[in-house]
Amino acid sequence: MEKEWKDKLLNRFLHYAKTYTESKPDVEEIPSTPQQWDLANYLKKELEEIGLEDVSIDDHAYVMGYLPSNQEGTLPTIGFISHFDTSPDFTGKDVKPQIHENYDGGDIVLNAEKDIVLSVKDSPELASFKGETVITTDGTTLLGADDKAGIAEIVTAVEYLKAHPEIPRARIAVGFTPDEEVGKGAHLFDVEKFGAEWAYTMDGSSVGELEYENFNAAGAKITFKGKMVHPGYAKGKMVNAMHIAREFAEALPKDEVPEKTDGRQGFFHQHDISGGVDEVVMQMIIRDHDDEKFEKRKNFLLELAQSMNKTFGEERVIVEINDQYFNMYKQIKDKMHIVDLAKQAMESLDIKPDIKPIRGGTDGAQLSYKGLPCPNIFAGGQNFHSRYEYVTLESMAKATQVIVKIAELATNKK
Ligand SMILES: [Zn+2]
């Protein structure tokens, strides 16, 4: 990518990163915080200035715009989507990006005064960016490359395509969302209005990442009912809910927990427990890529409760399960040309596609179930949601090129 375009990409990213857009959990409204409007409004203006068509911002700060195709005939509309909010896990206020040109491959001092260092020991992949332009924080905030890198890449790619009419391209739809980090980025996304046949979220990490499988996810609330009696006179009368809860927990498969699983292995994860003799409430999440195993896990909890209730002769264990999201693979598997197109774009740019199942969810999963198949592509950022977050300009440039290439290769698809 030419220097002129890399500069545009960098300046764009720096501006977005410095704009405060932290989202907030447990807020009913979307966007969850007023500051997200600042970047949303700015992006709308920017898309208009670049010359995109039908640029809009709705009542919930979702921004959309279109770059028409420059080809004859009917071609699919391809969407690219990123989120402009940053994670509430770490402060995103007053971000002061630091630029380390021609990075020497060693540790990077983020903040000498506070002795905050981005070290190769803790972030081994850092050394692989030797010679590149590394953008870090000053150690006091996150960077917001998740997912402002994605936005900078998409905006720069459509500007580049507009400036290069000699590159054939399909129609491109651009969508920017609020509140992804609080699980609501896809909630009010108007798939019909967006009008794309399929889309990609630019929200992955390392160069080459391409993801189209994610967890099936459910939450379980398990209530254990006890019976409090004066301990001195409790024989044959008291039922201690804590003992029942412990028995239940011990019946769960010991190795199927987050800390002992990876790849496509699913798990049960107890993340909260509270209560006393009278009542204990245990909160759990259930995760599995495989549909059948996912159902089995849910049934396991229900059957365990049933069998324990038989033993106790009463409704002592109550299991409530709520599905949270589903593996997008089910929505993609009959449309693998969507994945192949991204793969082909990467390969033609000498980028090795790195395909792996996501051990979490994505906005793309929700969008896929709303009728917009939506795999996830790398945006380049590392160490998300922390003061050690960083991204290199070269990684962002590669993601930008992938977008341009997908637009071009899509003209071969009918
Ligand atoms: Zn993200």
Side-chain angles (χ1 to χ4, degrees):
M1 189 177 236
E2 304 94 321
K3 186 173 181 305
E4 177 203 351
W5 287 94
K6 270 193 177 170
D7 288 346
K8 280 186 199 240
L9 180 59
L10 177 62
N11 290 329
R12 202 160 256 149
F13 173 70
L14 295 176
H15 180 84
Y16 302 160
K18 286 181 208 161
T19 310
Y20 177 46
T21 59
E22 190 170 315
S23 52
K24 198 173 163 188
D26 306 319
V27 174
E28 209 155 300
E29 271 155 80
I30 298 178
S32 60
T33 52
Q35 61 265 20
Q36 292 183 65
W37 282 104
D38 296 342
L39 187 52
N41 284 320
Y42 179 90
L43 289 169
K44 176 181 181 264
K45 216 175 81 213
E46 195 177 15
L47 293 182
E48 283 168 344
E49 277 165 12
I50 288 173
L52 262 56
E53 293 182 352
D54 298 321
V55 177
S56 66
I57 182 163
D58 71 9
D59 294 345
H60 299 282
Y62 287 75
V63 177
M64 292 181 184
Y66 304 88
L67 180 67
S69 170
N70 55 5
Q71 299 295 295
E72 306 261 313
T74 325
L75 289 168
T77 297
I78 319 281
F80 291 94
I81 298 169
S82 291
H83 62 91
F84 48 75
D85 66 314
T86 64
S87 170
D89 289 353
F90 201 70
T91 179
K93 195 154 198 212
D94 299 320
V95 174
K96 295 178 202 73
Q98 310 287 305
I99 302 167
H100 312 267
E101 276 179 45
N102 196 10
Y103 161 61
D104 65 7
D107 293 353
I108 297 176
V109 177
L110 299 177
N111 195 314
E113 198 185 315
K114 296 197 163 94
D115 194 23
I116 301 169
V117 177
L118 172 61
S119 72
V120 174
K121 185 173 156 279
D122 292 333
S123 304
E125 75 296 326
L126 178 63
S128 71
F129 297 111
K130 190 174 174 192
E132 298 192 9
T133 297
V134 181
I135 306 151
T136 68
T137 70
D138 69 349
T140 62
T141 65
L142 51 64
L143 180 62
D146 174 16
D147 188 21
K148 289 164 178 172
I151 300 178
E153 291 152 9
I154 294 170
V155 176
T156 305
V158 290
E159 189 186 22
Y160 185 91
L161 283 164
K162 190 118 211 298
H164 290 83
E166 73 283 5
I167 302 174
R169 60 172 195 254
R171 182 169 180 259
I172 300 300
V174 167
F176 300 133
T177 79
D179 285 342
E180 190 270 354
E181 299 290 3
V182 290
K184 288 186 178 166
H187 264 52
L188 297 178
F189 191 97
D190 191 338
V191 165
E192 209 167 304
K193 174 182 162 193
F194 195 53
E197 259 90 326
W198 70 84
Y200 304 92
T201 46
M202 300 299 297
D203 197 16
S205 182
S206 299
V207 171
E209 273 182 18
L210 173 58
E211 300 159 324
Y212 55 89
E213 285 182 74
N214 59 279
F215 274 147
N216 291 301
K221 179 185 173 194
I222 302 136
T223 309
F224 303 93
K225 299 255 184 219
K227 192 170 154 195
M228 183 57 191
V229 179
H230 186 294
Y233 307 93
K235 189 166 183 185
K237 292 189 192 125
M238 182 193 276
V239 180
N240 192 329
M242 292 182 286
H243 293 169
I244 308 175
R246 190 168 59 231
E247 200 173 307
F248 187 92
E250 276 170 5
L252 296 171
K254 303 249 174 317
D255 293 329
E256 296 174 19
V257 290
E259 61 270 40
K260 291 184 182 174
T261 49
D262 62 7
R264 275 192 188 74
Q265 297 170 319
F267 58 72
F268 297 98
H269 172 49
Q270 300 172 55
H271 62 88
D272 195 70
I273 187 159
S274 62
V277 174
D278 216 36
E279 184 178 282
V280 169
V281 175
M282 181 191 284
Q283 300 281 357
M284 194 183 291
I285 60 170
I286 305 159
R287 299 289 185 262
D288 213 302
H289 290 99
D290 185 275
D291 292 349
E292 217 170 291
K293 288 182 187 159
F294 179 59
E295 291 308 317
K296 267 194 191 156
R297 285 185 189 284
K298 291 192 280 183
N299 284 331
F300 180 86
L301 297 185
L302 294 168
E303 282 162 15
L304 179 57
Q306 230 174 30
S307 89
M308 285 180 69
N309 285 335
K310 246 182 230 157
T311 313
F312 294 112
E314 244 176 288
E315 285 283 288
R316 294 283 173 207
V317 186
I318 300 156
V319 175
E320 295 161 83
I321 297 175
N322 286 306
D323 285 328
Q324 293 166 324
Y325 53 83
F326 299 102
N327 189 347
M328 76 164 97
Y329 180 61
K330 233 187 306 182
Q331 304 299 321
I332 307 265
K333 68 172 192 284
D334 297 327
K335 298 167 189 152
M336 284 304 278
H337 59 275
I338 300 171
V339 174
D340 292 339
L341 180 64
K343 245 176 30 193
Q344 211 187 330
M346 287 185 197
E347 279 161 356
S348 73
L349 293 163
D350 277 327
I351 296 167
K352 196 169 167 274
D354 176 17
I355 297 171
K356 54 184 177 201
I358 308 174
R359 290 181 67 75
T362 77
D363 266 11
Q366 277 187 60
L367 292 172
S368 296
Y369 279 87
K370 286 174 89 167
L372 180 67
C374 196
N376 188 37
I377 293 178
F378 71 92
Q382 305 283 343
N383 296 342
F384 287 173
H385 305 185
S386 83
R387 64 170 93 240
Y388 302 107
E389 191 184 3
Y390 68 93
V391 65
T392 77
L393 180 55
E394 286 75 4
S395 300
M396 287 200 291
K398 279 179 188 156
T400 307
Q401 286 174 300
V402 168
I403 298 168
V404 169
K405 199 45 119 181
I406 287 174
E408 183 187 340
L409 294 175
T411 59
N412 302 323
K413 309 268 171 205
K414 285 273 146 71

PDB file of all heavy atoms in Angstrom, residues 280-303:
ATOM      1  N   VAL A 280     -29.339 -21.299  48.008  1.00  0.00           N
ATOM      2  CA  VAL A 280     -28.104 -20.981  47.300  1.00  0.00           C
ATOM      3  C   VAL A 280     -28.452 -20.794  45.825  1.00  0.00           C
ATOM      4  O   VAL A 280     -29.230 -21.567  45.266  1.00  0.00           O
ATOM      5  CB  VAL A 280     -27.055 -22.106  47.451  1.00  0.00           C
ATOM      6  CG1 VAL A 280     -25.878 -21.893  46.490  1.00  0.00           C
ATOM      7  CG2 VAL A 280     -26.538 -22.181  48.884  1.00  0.00           C
ATOM      8  N   VAL A 281     -27.873 -19.739  45.216  1.00  0.00           N
ATOM      9  CA  VAL A 281     -28.063 -19.545  43.774  1.00  0.00           C
ATOM     10  C   VAL A 281     -26.707 -19.634  43.090  1.00  0.00           C
ATOM     11  O   VAL A 281     -25.760 -18.937  43.467  1.00  0.00           O
ATOM     12  CB  VAL A 281     -28.734 -18.188  43.463  1.00  0.00           C
ATOM     13  CG1 VAL A 281     -28.801 -17.961  41.950  1.00  0.00           C
ATOM     14  CG2 VAL A 281     -30.129 -18.134  44.076  1.00  0.00           C
ATOM     15  N   MET A 282     -26.622 -20.547  42.130  1.00  0.00           N
ATOM     16  CA  MET A 282     -25.383 -20.731  41.374  1.00  0.00           C
ATOM     17  C   MET A 282     -25.626 -20.255  39.945  1.00  0.00           C
ATOM     18  O   MET A 282     -26.651 -20.571  39.348  1.00  0.00           O
ATOM     19  CB  MET A 282     -25.024 -22.226  41.372  1.00  0.00           C
ATOM     20  CG  MET A 282     -23.739 -22.580  40.651  1.00  0.00           C
ATOM     21  SD  MET A 282     -23.599 -24.392  40.446  1.00  0.00           S
ATOM     22  CE  MET A 282     -23.129 -24.883  42.093  1.00  0.00           C
ATOM     23  N   GLN A 283     -24.684 -19.453  39.439  1.00  0.00           N
ATOM     24  CA  GLN A 283     -24.804 -18.993  38.045  1.00  0.00           C
ATOM     25  C   GLN A 283     -23.736 -19.689  37.227  1.00  0.00           C
ATOM     26  O   GLN A 283     -22.588 -19.817  37.652  1.00  0.00           O
ATOM     27  CB  GLN A 283     -24.588 -17.475  37.946  1.00  0.00           C
ATOM     28  CG  GLN A 283     -25.583 -16.648  38.743  1.00  0.00           C
ATOM     29  CD  GLN A 283     -26.928 -16.488  38.059  1.00  0.00           C
ATOM     30  OE1 GLN A 283     -27.129 -16.956  36.930  1.00  0.00           O
ATOM     31  NE2 GLN A 283     -27.851 -15.838  38.747  1.00  0.00           N
ATOM     32  N   MET A 284     -24.143 -20.116  36.044  1.00  0.00           N
ATOM     33  CA  MET A 284     -23.239 -20.901  35.223  1.00  0.00           C
ATOM     34  C   MET A 284     -23.407 -20.508  33.766  1.00  0.00           C
ATOM     35  O   MET A 284     -24.482 -20.080  33.358  1.00  0.00           O
ATOM     36  CB  MET A 284     -23.635 -22.369  35.412  1.00  0.00           C
ATOM     37  CG  MET A 284     -22.648 -23.378  34.914  1.00  0.00           C
ATOM     38  SD  MET A 284     -23.325 -25.026  35.133  1.00  0.00           S
ATOM     39  CE  MET A 284     -23.303 -25.194  36.888  1.00  0.00           C
ATOM     40  N   ILE A 285     -22.326 -20.638  32.989  1.00  0.00           N
ATOM     41  CA  ILE A 285     -22.505 -20.532  31.541  1.00  0.00           C
ATOM     42  C   ILE A 285     -22.130 -21.861  30.902  1.00  0.00           C
ATOM     43  O   ILE A 285     -21.282 -22.604  31.422  1.00  0.00           O
ATOM     44  CB  ILE A 285     -21.730 -19.361  30.897  1.00  0.00           C
ATOM     45  CG1 ILE A 285     -20.226 -19.479  31.130  1.00  0.00           C
ATOM     46  CG2 ILE A 285     -22.244 -18.020  31.394  1.00  0.00           C
ATOM     47  CD1 ILE A 285     -19.396 -18.489  30.329  1.00  0.00           C
ATOM     48  N   ILE A 286     -22.780 -22.164  29.792  1.00  0.00           N
ATOM     49  CA  ILE A 286     -22.564 -23.411  29.051  1.00  0.00           C
ATOM     50  C   ILE A 286     -22.113 -23.021  27.651  1.00  0.00           C
ATOM     51  O   ILE A 286     -22.719 -22.152  27.019  1.00  0.00           O
ATOM     52  CB  ILE A 286     -23.881 -24.206  28.953  1.00  0.00           C
ATOM     53  CG1 ILE A 286     -24.458 -24.446  30.352  1.00  0.00           C
ATOM     54  CG2 ILE A 286     -23.660 -25.513  28.201  1.00  0.00           C
ATOM     55  CD1 ILE A 286     -25.935 -24.761  30.332  1.00  0.00           C
ATOM     56  N   ARG A 287     -21.017 -23.631  27.192  1.00  0.00           N
ATOM     57  CA  ARG A 287     -20.493 -23.296  25.870  1.00  0.00           C
ATOM     58  C   ARG A 287     -20.115 -24.558  25.105  1.00  0.00           C
ATOM     59  O   ARG A 287     -19.506 -25.468  25.680  1.00  0.00           O
ATOM     60  CB  ARG A 287     -19.234 -22.414  26.007  1.00  0.00           C
ATOM     61  CG  ARG A 287     -19.439 -21.074  26.704  1.00  0.00           C
ATOM     62  CD  ARG A 287     -20.231 -20.121  25.831  1.00  0.00           C
ATOM     63  NE  ARG A 287     -20.355 -18.784  26.403  1.00  0.00           N
ATOM     64  CZ  ARG A 287     -21.413 -18.341  27.091  1.00  0.00           C
ATOM     65  NH1 ARG A 287     -22.424 -19.147  27.346  1.00  0.00           N
ATOM     66  NH2 ARG A 287     -21.452 -17.096  27.538  1.00  0.00           N
ATOM     67  N   ASP A 288     -20.483 -24.619  23.828  1.00  0.00           N
ATOM     68  CA  ASP A 288     -20.056 -25.717  22.969  1.00  0.00           C
ATOM     69  C   ASP A 288     -20.255 -25.338  21.505  1.00  0.00           C
ATOM     70  O   ASP A 288     -21.291 -24.775  21.156  1.00  0.00           O
ATOM     71  CB  ASP A 288     -20.840 -27.005  23.298  1.00  0.00           C
ATOM     72  CG  ASP A 288     -19.981 -28.243  23.087  1.00  0.00           C
ATOM     73  OD1 ASP A 288     -19.490 -28.434  21.965  1.00  0.00           O
ATOM     74  OD2 ASP A 288     -19.780 -28.988  24.061  1.00  0.00           O
ATOM     75  N   HIS A 289     -19.280 -25.636  20.653  1.00  0.00           N
ATOM     76  CA  HIS A 289     -19.433 -25.356  19.217  1.00  0.00           C
ATOM     77  C   HIS A 289     -20.427 -26.312  18.575  1.00  0.00           C
ATOM     78  O   HIS A 289     -21.151 -25.945  17.658  1.00  0.00           O
ATOM     79  CB  HIS A 289     -18.081 -25.483  18.495  1.00  0.00           C
ATOM     80  CG  HIS A 289     -17.115 -24.399  18.829  1.00  0.00           C
ATOM     81  ND1 HIS A 289     -16.110 -24.551  19.751  1.00  0.00           N
ATOM     82  CD2 HIS A 289     -17.012 -23.132  18.378  1.00  0.00           C
ATOM     83  CE1 HIS A 289     -15.437 -23.422  19.850  1.00  0.00           C
ATOM     84  NE2 HIS A 289     -15.954 -22.550  19.034  1.00  0.00           N
ATOM     85  N   ASP A 290     -20.430 -27.553  19.079  1.00  0.00           N
ATOM     86  CA  ASP A 290     -21.245 -28.610  18.476  1.00  0.00           C
ATOM     87  C   ASP A 290     -22.691 -28.534  18.985  1.00  0.00           C
ATOM     88  O   ASP A 290     -22.927 -28.520  20.197  1.00  0.00           O
ATOM     89  CB  ASP A 290     -20.607 -29.959  18.848  1.00  0.00           C
ATOM     90  CG  ASP A 290     -21.302 -31.106  18.166  1.00  0.00           C
ATOM     91  OD1 ASP A 290     -22.317 -31.585  18.690  1.00  0.00           O
ATOM     92  OD2 ASP A 290     -20.823 -31.496  17.092  1.00  0.00           O
ATOM     93  N   ASP A 291     -23.632 -28.494  18.065  1.00  0.00           N
ATOM     94  CA  ASP A 291     -25.044 -28.350  18.441  1.00  0.00           C
ATOM     95  C   ASP A 291     -25.528 -29.476  19.346  1.00  0.00           C
ATOM     96  O   ASP A 291     -26.208 -29.249  20.340  1.00  0.00           O
ATOM     97  CB  ASP A 291     -25.941 -28.356  17.199  1.00  0.00           C
ATOM     98  CG  ASP A 291     -25.723 -27.120  16.352  1.00  0.00           C
ATOM     99  OD1 ASP A 291     -25.054 -26.188  16.833  1.00  0.00           O
ATOM    100  OD2 ASP A 291     -26.217 -27.093  15.220  1.00  0.00           O
ATOM    101  N   GLU A 292     -25.163 -30.709  18.944  1.00  0.00           N
ATOM    102  CA  GLU A 292     -25.640 -31.865  19.685  1.00  0.00           C
ATOM    103  C   GLU A 292     -25.069 -31.871  21.107  1.00  0.00           C
ATOM    104  O   GLU A 292     -25.784 -32.086  22.089  1.00  0.00           O
ATOM    105  CB  GLU A 292     -25.204 -33.126  18.948  1.00  0.00           C
ATOM    106  CG  GLU A 292     -26.207 -34.242  18.976  1.00  0.00           C
ATOM    107  CD  GLU A 292     -25.787 -35.349  18.033  1.00  0.00           C
ATOM    108  OE1 GLU A 292     -25.824 -35.141  16.795  1.00  0.00           O
ATOM    109  OE2 GLU A 292     -25.361 -36.401  18.544  1.00  0.00           O
ATOM    110  N   LYS A 293     -23.764 -31.626  21.192  1.00  0.00           N
ATOM    111  CA  LYS A 293     -23.131 -31.612  22.520  1.00  0.00           C
ATOM    112  C   LYS A 293     -23.670 -30.477  23.381  1.00  0.00           C
ATOM    113  O   LYS A 293     -23.785 -30.593  24.602  1.00  0.00           O
ATOM    114  CB  LYS A 293     -21.613 -31.462  22.368  1.00  0.00           C
ATOM    115  CG  LYS A 293     -20.940 -32.707  21.830  1.00  0.00           C
ATOM    116  CD  LYS A 293     -19.442 -32.502  21.759  1.00  0.00           C
ATOM    117  CE  LYS A 293     -18.773 -33.677  21.058  1.00  0.00           C
ATOM    118  NZ  LYS A 293     -17.438 -33.291  20.545  1.00  0.00           N
ATOM    119  N   PHE A 294     -23.999 -29.375  22.731  1.00  0.00           N
ATOM    120  CA  PHE A 294     -24.568 -28.234  23.445  1.00  0.00           C
ATOM    121  C   PHE A 294     -25.900 -28.624  24.093  1.00  0.00           C
ATOM    122  O   PHE A 294     -26.133 -28.354  25.279  1.00  0.00           O
ATOM    123  CB  PHE A 294     -24.750 -27.075  22.456  1.00  0.00           C
ATOM    124  CG  PHE A 294     -25.344 -25.831  23.032  1.00  0.00           C
ATOM    125  CD1 PHE A 294     -24.718 -25.167  24.083  1.00  0.00           C
ATOM    126  CD2 PHE A 294     -26.515 -25.294  22.512  1.00  0.00           C
ATOM    127  CE1 PHE A 294     -25.257 -24.000  24.615  1.00  0.00           C
ATOM    128  CE2 PHE A 294     -27.064 -24.130  23.035  1.00  0.00           C
ATOM    129  CZ  PHE A 294     -26.433 -23.490  24.079  1.00  0.00           C
ATOM    130  N   GLU A 295     -26.758 -29.294  23.318  1.00  0.00           N
ATOM    131  CA  GLU A 295     -28.046 -29.755  23.859  1.00  0.00           C
ATOM    132  C   GLU A 295     -27.824 -30.754  24.990  1.00  0.00           C
ATOM    133  O   GLU A 295     -28.507 -30.727  26.010  1.00  0.00           O
ATOM    134  CB  GLU A 295     -28.901 -30.392  22.754  1.00  0.00           C
ATOM    135  CG  GLU A 295     -29.411 -29.402  21.709  1.00  0.00           C
ATOM    136  CD  GLU A 295     -30.132 -28.199  22.320  1.00  0.00           C
ATOM    137  OE1 GLU A 295     -30.936 -28.384  23.258  1.00  0.00           O
ATOM    138  OE2 GLU A 295     -29.873 -27.058  21.871  1.00  0.00           O
ATOM    139  N   LYS A 296     -26.830 -31.647  24.792  1.00  0.00           N
ATOM    140  CA  LYS A 296     -26.519 -32.647  25.819  1.00  0.00           C
ATOM    141  C   LYS A 296     -26.118 -31.982  27.126  1.00  0.00           C
ATOM    142  O   LYS A 296     -26.492 -32.431  28.209  1.00  0.00           O
ATOM    143  CB  LYS A 296     -25.374 -33.545  25.340  1.00  0.00           C
ATOM    144  CG  LYS A 296     -25.858 -34.809  24.658  1.00  0.00           C
ATOM    145  CD  LYS A 296     -24.714 -35.804  24.519  1.00  0.00           C
ATOM    146  CE  LYS A 296     -25.110 -36.953  23.614  1.00  0.00           C
ATOM    147  NZ  LYS A 296     -23.946 -37.597  23.004  1.00  0.00           N
ATOM    148  N   ARG A 297     -25.322 -30.922  27.013  1.00  0.00           N
ATOM    149  CA  ARG A 297     -24.888 -30.214  28.223  1.00  0.00           C
ATOM    150  C   ARG A 297     -26.077 -29.644  28.979  1.00  0.00           C
ATOM    151  O   ARG A 297     -26.165 -29.741  30.208  1.00  0.00           O
ATOM    152  CB  ARG A 297     -23.930 -29.070  27.856  1.00  0.00           C
ATOM    153  CG  ARG A 297     -22.566 -29.554  27.475  1.00  0.00           C
ATOM    154  CD  ARG A 297     -21.579 -28.431  27.229  1.00  0.00           C
ATOM    155  NE  ARG A 297     -20.377 -29.011  26.667  1.00  0.00           N
ATOM    156  CZ  ARG A 297     -19.476 -29.682  27.382  1.00  0.00           C
ATOM    157  NH1 ARG A 297     -19.606 -29.790  28.694  1.00  0.00           N
ATOM    158  NH2 ARG A 297     -18.440 -30.227  26.791  1.00  0.00           N
ATOM    159  N   LYS A 298     -26.992 -29.046  28.240  1.00  0.00           N
ATOM    160  CA  LYS A 298     -28.166 -28.461  28.896  1.00  0.00           C
ATOM    161  C   LYS A 298     -28.998 -29.567  29.557  1.00  0.00           C
ATOM    162  O   LYS A 298     -29.454 -29.415  30.688  1.00  0.00           O
ATOM    163  CB  LYS A 298     -28.989 -27.677  27.868  1.00  0.00           C
ATOM    164  CG  LYS A 298     -28.275 -26.420  27.403  1.00  0.00           C
ATOM    165  CD  LYS A 298     -29.179 -25.495  26.607  1.00  0.00           C
ATOM    166  CE  LYS A 298     -29.342 -25.928  25.183  1.00  0.00           C
ATOM    167  NZ  LYS A 298     -30.167 -24.986  24.399  1.00  0.00           N
ATOM    168  N   ASN A 299     -29.159 -30.679  28.813  1.00  0.00           N
ATOM    169  CA  ASN A 299     -29.934 -31.792  29.368  1.00  0.00           C
ATOM    170  C   ASN A 299     -29.261 -32.398  30.590  1.00  0.00           C
ATOM    171  O   ASN A 299     -29.934 -32.840  31.522  1.00  0.00           O
ATOM    172  CB  ASN A 299     -30.144 -32.870  28.306  1.00  0.00           C
ATOM    173  CG  ASN A 299     -31.200 -32.440  27.309  1.00  0.00           C
ATOM    174  OD1 ASN A 299     -32.110 -31.683  27.649  1.00  0.00           O
ATOM    175  ND2 ASN A 299     -31.070 -32.892  26.070  1.00  0.00           N
ATOM    176  N   PHE A 300     -27.951 -32.409  30.569  1.00  0.00           N
ATOM    177  CA  PHE A 300     -27.200 -32.954  31.707  1.00  0.00           C
ATOM    178  C   PHE A 300     -27.591 -32.231  33.001  1.00  0.00           C
ATOM    179  O   PHE A 300     -27.865 -32.864  34.028  1.00  0.00           O
ATOM    180  CB  PHE A 300     -25.692 -32.812  31.451  1.00  0.00           C
ATOM    181  CG  PHE A 300     -24.832 -33.342  32.550  1.00  0.00           C
ATOM    182  CD1 PHE A 300     -24.471 -34.689  32.592  1.00  0.00           C
ATOM    183  CD2 PHE A 300     -24.378 -32.501  33.574  1.00  0.00           C
ATOM    184  CE1 PHE A 300     -23.679 -35.178  33.620  1.00  0.00           C
ATOM    185  CE2 PHE A 300     -23.589 -32.991  34.601  1.00  0.00           C
ATOM    186  CZ  PHE A 300     -23.242 -34.333  34.620  1.00  0.00           C
ATOM    187  N   LEU A 301     -27.656 -30.907  32.929  1.00  0.00           N
ATOM    188  CA  LEU A 301     -28.014 -30.131  34.124  1.00  0.00           C
ATOM    189  C   LEU A 301     -29.450 -30.434  34.553  1.00  0.00           C
ATOM    190  O   LEU A 301     -29.732 -30.609  35.748  1.00  0.00           O
ATOM    191  CB  LEU A 301     -27.862 -28.633  33.856  1.00  0.00           C
ATOM    192  CG  LEU A 301     -26.455 -28.116  33.542  1.00  0.00           C
ATOM    193  CD1 LEU A 301     -26.486 -26.596  33.421  1.00  0.00           C
ATOM    194  CD2 LEU A 301     -25.454 -28.517  34.631  1.00  0.00           C
ATOM    195  N   LEU A 302     -30.340 -30.504  33.574  1.00  0.00           N
ATOM    196  CA  LEU A 302     -31.749 -30.760  33.898  1.00  0.00           C
ATOM    197  C   LEU A 302     -31.934 -32.146  34.520  1.00  0.00           C
ATOM    198  O   LEU A 302     -32.663 -32.307  35.501  1.00  0.00           O
ATOM    199  CB  LEU A 302     -32.601 -30.627  32.628  1.00  0.00           C
ATOM    200  CG  LEU A 302     -32.673 -29.217  32.036  1.00  0.00           C
ATOM    201  CD1 LEU A 302     -33.284 -29.229  30.637  1.00  0.00           C
ATOM    202  CD2 LEU A 302     -33.485 -28.282  32.949  1.00  0.00           C
ATOM    203  N   GLU A 303     -31.229 -33.131  33.942  1.00  0.00           N
ATOM    204  CA  GLU A 303     -31.369 -34.501  34.451  1.00  0.00           C
ATOM    205  C   GLU A 303     -30.724 -34.665  35.826  1.00  0.00           C
ATOM    206  O   GLU A 303     -31.235 -35.377  36.694  1.00  0.00           O
ATOM    207  CB  GLU A 303     -30.759 -35.498  33.454  1.00  0.00           C
ATOM    208  CG  GLU A 303     -31.694 -35.748  32.278  1.00  0.00           C
ATOM    209  CD  GLU A 303     -30.989 -36.370  31.077  1.00  0.00           C
ATOM    210  OE1 GLU A 303     -29.846 -36.872  31.248  1.00  0.00           O
ATOM    211  OE2 GLU A 303     -31.564 -36.334  29.984  1.00  0.00           O
TER     212      GLU A 303
END
